[in-house]
């Protein structure tokens, strides 16, 4: 379609001083099967918390890690007899009318790679280990068996965040067939007659879902650093950011496996945490240029992969509440304010127009800010440190800001997805 200058202006939304394409001119892929028609928010939430979570805010999703390694004796399958941890989480989620999301993070913590301090090497070597992969396929099969017991309940399985990114980094020409994985050679029935590479791995997972748990919405994970260029560290141009998204989408397409949706992550630790604990500089703060890059990446990826995108594990900190004094568990960040603050309508529309369909919040390390009273220090209102003058809405470690803003988002009417 030829776009006139006037029409082109209507296709752009401003993010700070930058303009990004809006939904009006985007050719978006279809929503995943059984996905909500409005843009949803979600929060990390442990077992037993579904009812209280839903009472506080009508979140669309809650997520829980499945971790511990497939051959260590400490994996999720041991948390309750026979893997029934999944049953309990799904059952209480369905009762509370919130969709359960499981972040399946097992390959890094499996043996022998668990003892390797080089994470990319550990993951890729575990993928080549026949014994490890045989146990991995058995573990995924157990998940499908448990989740498949709820055929009328939507369950989301996010498969191995980071693993695909390391595979993409190791690939030649963004081709998954160049990354060796023990699939058929593992001896697992799920991998029978499939190629011993990352294509076979992805196809085996889809095969298990189709056979055992068609109610499961299967999520691939695209790491923006999988292209060897990190959006927030390397500061690519806008056009390059979109090209990087296209490359990430090309790697996904090379799998030849029909996942339903893609997850991605921007930053799993608050900026205050990064600066105090990891020694990051002031440039760790995201600004309007970083946001625009993220939108462009999602747009390029969604177009190439033909997938909508969920932004996952967003840090919870803010710079508004007095509770946020950069102490342990109370670290500042600005993602929540940007997504759910005064300009949320404009920002969420830009992201939805690029292909984003949900935002899930939660810290990726101990000590990051929680939208809960994780520090058990009650309602805290220490002296402001940089203009964060609002008194706490609740005893939550973020001063209750995320839940307060999420309630306002839903009260105003959740955004209808384009």
């Amino acid at each position: 379609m030829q776009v006139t200058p006037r029409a082109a202006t209507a296709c752009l939304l401003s993010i700070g001083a930058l303009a990004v394409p809006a939904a009006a001119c985007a050719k978006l892929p279809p929503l995943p099967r059984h996905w909500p028609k409005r843009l949803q928010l979600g929060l990390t939430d442990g077992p037993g918390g579904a009812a209280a979570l839903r009472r506080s805010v009508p979140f669309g999703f809650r997520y829980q890690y499945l971790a511990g390694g497939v051959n260590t004796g400490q994996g999720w399958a041991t948390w309750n007899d026979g893997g029934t941890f999944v049953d309990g989480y799904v059952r209480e989620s369905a009762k509370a009318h919130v969709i359960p999301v499981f972040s399946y993070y097992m390959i890094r913590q499996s043996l022998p790679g668990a003892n390797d301090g080089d994470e990319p090497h550990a993951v890729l070597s575990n993928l080549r280990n026949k014994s490890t992969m045989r146990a991995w396929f058995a573990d995924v099969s157990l998940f499908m068996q448990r989740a498949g017991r709820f055929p009328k309940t939507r369950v989301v399985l996010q498969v191995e965040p980071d693993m695909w990114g390391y595979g993409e980094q190791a690939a030649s020409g963004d081709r998954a067939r160049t990354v060796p994985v023990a699939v058929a050679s593992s001896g697992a029935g799920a991998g029978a007659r499939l190629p011993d590479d990352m294509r076979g791995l992805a196809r085996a997972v889809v095969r298990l879902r189709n056979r055992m748990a068609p109610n499961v919405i299967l999520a691939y994970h695209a790491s923006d650093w999988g292209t060897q260029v990190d959006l927030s560290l390397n500061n690519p141009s806008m056009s390059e950011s979109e090209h990087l998204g296209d490359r990430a989408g090309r790697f996904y397409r090379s799998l030849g496996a029909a996942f339903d949706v893609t997850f991605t992550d921007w930053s799993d630790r608050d900026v205050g945490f990064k600066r105090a604990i990891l020694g990051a500089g002031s440039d760790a703060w995201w600004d309007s240029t970083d946001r625009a890059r993220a939108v462009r990446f999602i747009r390029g990826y969604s177009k190439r992969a033909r997938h909508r995108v969920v932004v996952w594990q967003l840090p919870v900190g803010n710079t508004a509440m007095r509770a946020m004094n950069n102490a342990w568990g109370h670290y500042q960040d600005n993602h929540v304010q940007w997504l759910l603050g005064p300009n949320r309508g404009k920002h969420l529309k830009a992201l939805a127009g690029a292909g984003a369909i949900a935002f899930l919040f939660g810290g990726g390390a101990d000590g990051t800010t929680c939208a809960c009273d994780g520090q058990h220090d009650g309602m805290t209102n220490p002296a402001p440190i940089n203009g964060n003058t609002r008194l706490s809405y609740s005893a939550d470690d973020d001063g209750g800001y995320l839940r307060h803003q999420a309630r306002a988002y839903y009260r105003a009417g959740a955004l209808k997805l384009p």
Side-chain angles (χ1 to χ4, degrees):
M1 177 181 71
Q2 187 174 16
V3 181
T4 65
R6 179 173 294 182
T9 302
C11 294
L12 299 176
L13 285 174
S14 174
I15 295 184
L18 297 163
V20 296
C25 294
K27 292 183 177 180
L28 292 170
L31 289 171
R33 61 197 178 95
H34 309 309
W35 198 266
K37 304 303 181 187
R38 293 183 179 273
L39 188 147
Q40 296 295 327
L41 308 177
L43 189 64
T44 180
D45 187 49
L53 179 77
R54 186 72 179 187
R55 282 195 303 270
S56 70
V57 180
F59 285 112
F61 298 94
R62 63 193 290 248
Y63 76 87
Q64 162 72 44
Y65 269 91
L66 299 180
V70 297
N71 53 6
T72 62
Q74 299 176 1
W76 69 270
T78 68
W79 297 349
N80 294 94
D81 291 342
T84 53
F85 178 88
V86 167
D87 301 52
Y89 198 85
V90 172
R91 189 178 291 113
E92 66 162 307
S93 298
K95 186 176 180 180
H97 305 289
V98 59
I99 299 172
V101 176
F102 293 97
S103 296
Y104 185 88
Y105 184 77
M106 297 291 283
I107 194 68
R108 171 66 180 102
Q109 298 173 338
S110 300
L111 296 170
N115 298 319
D116 188 340
D118 183 338
E119 183 165 321
H121 181 266
V123 169
L124 294 170
S125 62
N126 272 353
L127 289 174
R128 295 190 295 267
N129 187 295
K130 295 177 182 179
S131 174
T132 301
M133 291 310 297
R134 187 163 55 250
W136 190 90
F137 284 121
D139 199 69
V140 174
S141 298
L142 178 61
F143 172 85
M144 296 298 180
Q145 176 190 338
R146 303 317 308 180
R149 296 183 68 251
F150 303 87
K152 296 183 179 180
T153 301
R154 289 172 290 183
V155 177
V156 180
L157 179 66
Q158 176 196 14
V159 181
E160 294 288 6
D162 297 342
M163 178 190 75
W164 306 101
Y166 293 134
E168 185 183 357
Q169 287 185 334
S172 175
D174 299 326
R175 297 182 300 247
R177 66 179 174 83
T178 65
V179 185
V181 180
V183 183
S185 64
S186 73
R193 299 180 301 280
L194 291 174
D196 276 325
D197 55 43
M198 215 156 210
R199 297 173 303 166
L201 172 62
R203 294 171 193 178
V205 173
V206 173
R207 174 186 283 178
L208 287 170
R209 188 279 304 275
N210 292 348
R211 287 177 177 175
M212 304 176 70
N215 59 310
V216 168
I217 298 171
L218 206 54
Y220 173 78
H221 187 97
S223 299
D224 66 46
W225 44 261
T227 62
Q228 304 277 12
V229 179
D230 189 298
L231 293 186
S232 59
L233 294 179
N234 301 125
N235 298 329
S237 67
M238 294 304 118
S239 60
E240 178 65 10
S241 297
E242 192 157 336
H243 172 67
L244 293 170
D246 178 86
R247 278 189 56 198
R250 188 162 66 237
F251 180 79
Y252 165 74
R253 296 288 293 180
S254 78
L255 296 169
F259 285 70
D260 301 301
V261 67
T262 291
F263 279 41
T264 193
D265 54 323
W266 291 346
S267 173
D268 66 348
R269 289 162 173 78
D270 310 287
V271 171
F273 180 96
K274 288 182 176 180
R275 298 192 69 185
I277 307 301
L278 305 179
S282 59
D283 59 349
W285 287 99
W286 274 45
D287 59 22
S288 60
T289 307
D290 295 309
R291 310 282 179 198
R293 287 191 189 100
V295 175
R296 287 295 189 97
F297 180 88
I298 289 173
R299 182 171 182 261
Y301 177 87
S302 181
K303 184 177 179 181
R304 171 66 71 170
R306 303 304 299 157
H307 259 197
R308 300 287 186 105
V309 176
V310 174
V311 184
W312 165 79
Q313 201 160 254
L314 286 155
V316 174
N318 64 78
T319 63
M321 311 302 292
R322 280 176 55 175
M324 308 303 302
N325 64 343
N326 283 332
W328 185 257
H330 296 271
Y331 290 106
Q332 295 189 346
D333 198 88
N334 59 8
H335 281 83
V336 178
Q337 285 156 283
W338 191 83
L339 287 167
L340 300 178
N343 294 315
R344 67 170 180 258
K346 179 171 64 175
H347 297 161
L348 293 178
K349 283 179 182 177
L351 283 154
I357 55 175
F359 296 91
L360 310 187
F361 296 88
D366 289 341
T368 54
T369 306
C370 181
C372 65
D373 188 13
Q375 300 305 312
H376 307 294
D377 52 10
M379 186 181 296
T380 55
N381 290 301
I385 60 174
N386 57 3
N388 55 329
T389 56
R390 292 194 204 176
L391 298 178
S392 294
Y393 297 119
S394 72
D396 288 353
D397 294 340
D398 71 333
Y401 184 82
L402 172 59
R403 292 179 196 256
H404 180 270
Q405 297 303 120
R407 278 192 293 270
Y409 167 74
Y410 280 110
R411 196 177 298 123
L415 176 68
K416 184 177 182 181
L417 291 167

